[in-house]
């Protein structure tokens, strides 16, 4: 079987990270041949997952097709490569306004005269299919139960829930003590709190900084905050004012390709995001056996309650939440959760087979 992933972009973030995990799983546990077309390269500055995907796929990776070239050659490409499944890593009608999926091209690509089947995945919680969906795919591969049970429940296409897996193999090989020692922190008595994500209003780093301030005022350097994530120019109006008033116990480390190292050393992963679909970073923290404090957003259902200390959105309460979580036993036992990357891969294969019979 040959699967082509069409992705709007591969600038660092949740969707590219999800695609990377799909590719790693499919290459590791199935005989599926994988191709990727990046619809548009937004930036060459934030490319952690993009580089890994390129390294995995080699010539099976194609970057930025110009508008004319897309329309003229993508059909030919699919025939030349004998593609069985086209899996689009976002709803085409929901592509960014500055990076649209041409409707005429979509109609042609979805035409049932072609031998391939179309799968779509939605990576956001704001798309409204009853208002915006124009053409139905053959199937939906959902990343969250919320899409299956709510947003897309009335769509006629075949549906499958394929969430991001818990993967204990991603843990950093070094021990926590070794990682701390590398940075000169071993046996000094500090506690290390990690915040991960692109600096945006939805990720809500401003609230984490406020928590860092009140902890510093009371405890000094006892609680150190490490912020990992890029500060993209298009969100400068959000993060630039925050950078002008950081407490001393905040370290802003930018985009990194060693997040698991920081999750391994952390006493707590503080996830202050209040606008999410189904965040990969929570699964990555669980996979690293890290304590977590995060908002239990309504559309998560009860998925993360066994793993997180829920944030309240009140500084004094959440200051105590952070301290109590750090100084209490972890809520979950990772040994009770099987490494399910193989299952993740086979879910894809079974769903694809159910659509095209191969």
């Amino acid at each position: 079987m040959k699967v082509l992933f069409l992705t709007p972009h591969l600038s660092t973030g949740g969707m590219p990270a999800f695609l990377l995990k799909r590719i790693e799983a499919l290459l590791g546990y199935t005989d599926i041949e994988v191709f990727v077309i990046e619809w548009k390269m937004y930036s060459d500055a934030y490319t952690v997952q993009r580089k890994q995907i390129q390294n995995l796929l080699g010539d099976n990776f194609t970057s930025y097709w110009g508008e004319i070239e897309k329309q003229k050659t993508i059909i030919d490409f699919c025939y030349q490569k004998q593609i069985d499944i086209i899996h689009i890593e976002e709803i085409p009608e929901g592509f960014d306004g500055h990076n649209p999926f041409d409707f005429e091209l979509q109609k042609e690509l979805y035409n049932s005269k072609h031998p391939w089947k179309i799968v779509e995945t939605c990576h956001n919680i704001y798309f409204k299919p009853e208002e915006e969906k124009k053409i139905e795919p053959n199937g939906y591969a959902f990343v969250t139960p919320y899409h299956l049970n709510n947003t897309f429940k009335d769509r006629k296409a075949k549906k499958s829930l394929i969430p991001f897996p818990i993967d204990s193999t991603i843990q950093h090989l070094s021990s926590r003590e070794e990682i701390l020692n590398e940075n000169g922190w071993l046996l000094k008595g500090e506690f290390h709190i990690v915040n991960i994500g692109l600096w945006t209003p939805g990720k809500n780093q401003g609230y984490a900084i406020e928590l860092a301030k009140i902890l510093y005022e009371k405890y000094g350097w006892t609680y150190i905050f490490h912020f990992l994530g890029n500060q993209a120019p298009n969100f400068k109006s959000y993060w630039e004012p925050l950078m002008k008033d950081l407490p001393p116990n905040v370290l802003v480390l930018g985009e990194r390709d060693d997040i698991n190292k920081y999750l391994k050393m952390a006493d707590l992963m503080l996830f202050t995001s209040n606008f999410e679909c189904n965040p990969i970073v929570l699964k990555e923290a669980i996979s690293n056996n890290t304590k977590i404090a995060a908002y239990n957003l309504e559309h998560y259902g009860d998925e993360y309650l066994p793993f997180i200390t829920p944030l309240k959105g009140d500084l004094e309460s959440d200051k105590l939440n952070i301290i109590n979580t750090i100084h209490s036993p972890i809520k979950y036992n990772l040994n009770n959760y099987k490494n399910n990357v193989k299952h993740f891969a086979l879910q894809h294969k079974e769903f694809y087979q159910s659509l095209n019979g191969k």
Side-chain angles (χ1 to χ4, degrees), residues 42-277:
Y42 284 178
S43 169
D44 59 1
Y46 307 113
T47 56
V48 169
Q49 289 99 15
R50 186 178 189 275
K51 289 176 181 176
Q52 293 178 70
I53 290 171
Q54 281 183 289
N55 290 337
L56 284 170
L57 296 184
D59 291 340
N60 282 12
F61 174 84
T62 302
S63 179
Y64 185 54
W65 292 34
E67 292 301 321
I68 296 175
E69 189 177 356
K70 283 178 192 173
Q71 296 180 41
K72 286 186 175 179
T73 65
I74 191 169
I75 304 297
D76 292 338
F77 178 92
C78 292
Y79 274 105
Q80 290 166 6
K81 302 298 183 182
Q82 298 181 311
I83 298 299
D84 298 297
I85 298 289
I86 300 173
H87 189 151
I88 306 177
E89 282 286 3
E90 194 47 88
I91 305 300
E93 295 89 344
F95 271 36
D96 291 337
H98 60 280
N99 183 28
F101 198 116
D102 182 79
F103 181 59
E104 293 302 317
L105 174 59
Q106 185 184 3
K107 285 198 298 185
E108 176 59 27
L109 198 64
Y110 284 49
N111 193 314
S112 61
K113 70 182 180 182
H114 299 304
W116 52 77
K117 303 297 183 183
I118 305 287
V119 174
E120 295 178 5
T121 291
C122 183
H123 285 280
N124 66 72
I125 57 170
Y126 49 80
F127 186 78
K128 299 178 180 179
E130 68 279 4
E131 299 175 12
E132 302 173 81
K133 199 77 186 80
K134 297 177 181 178
I135 308 178
E136 198 76 354
N138 301 104
Y140 290 104
F142 297 127
V143 301
T144 171
Y146 187 79
H147 286 158
L148 179 66
N149 300 322
N150 295 276
T151 311
F152 292 87
K153 67 176 182 179
D154 296 325
R155 309 310 296 183
K156 295 181 179 179
K158 194 164 187 175
K159 305 175 183 72
S160 182
L161 176 62
I162 310 178
F164 198 84
I166 294 173
D167 179 6
S168 59
T169 67
I170 69 173
Q171 293 190 33
H172 198 274
L173 295 178
S174 301
S175 69
R176 181 177 187 274
E177 289 73 21
E178 288 170 333
I179 296 168
L180 288 170
N181 193 41
E182 287 175 15
N183 295 280
W185 290 319
L186 188 61
L187 302 178
K188 289 187 178 181
E190 298 93 347
F191 299 96
H192 299 275
I193 299 167
V194 173
N195 181 280
I196 300 171
L198 172 70
W199 287 68
T200 67
K203 295 297 183 186
N204 200 22
Q205 284 91 349
Y207 187 63
I209 290 171
E210 291 303 310
L211 287 166
K213 285 179 183 177
I214 63 173
L215 283 167
Y216 183 77
E217 289 169 1
K218 188 170 181 62
Y219 301 104
W221 282 90
T222 302
Y223 298 95
I224 299 175
F225 287 67
H226 306 258
F227 285 79
L228 312 179
N230 74 61
Q231 295 179 325
N234 51 319
F235 292 108
K236 188 175 182 180
S237 62
Y238 173 70
W239 56 258
E240 187 175 47
L242 298 176
M243 297 298 292
K244 296 176 180 178
D245 189 27
L246 297 176
N249 61 334
V250 163
L251 305 176
V252 178
L253 303 174
E255 180 181 34
R256 302 190 65 92
D257 60 4
D258 57 353
I259 283 176
N260 292 316
K261 169 182 171 181
Y262 282 85
L263 287 171
K264 179 77 171 182
M265 70 161 223
D267 295 286
L268 178 75
M269 200 277 280
L270 175 65
F271 191 59
T272 49
S273 183
N274 53 22
F275 187 78
E276 287 288 341
C277 181

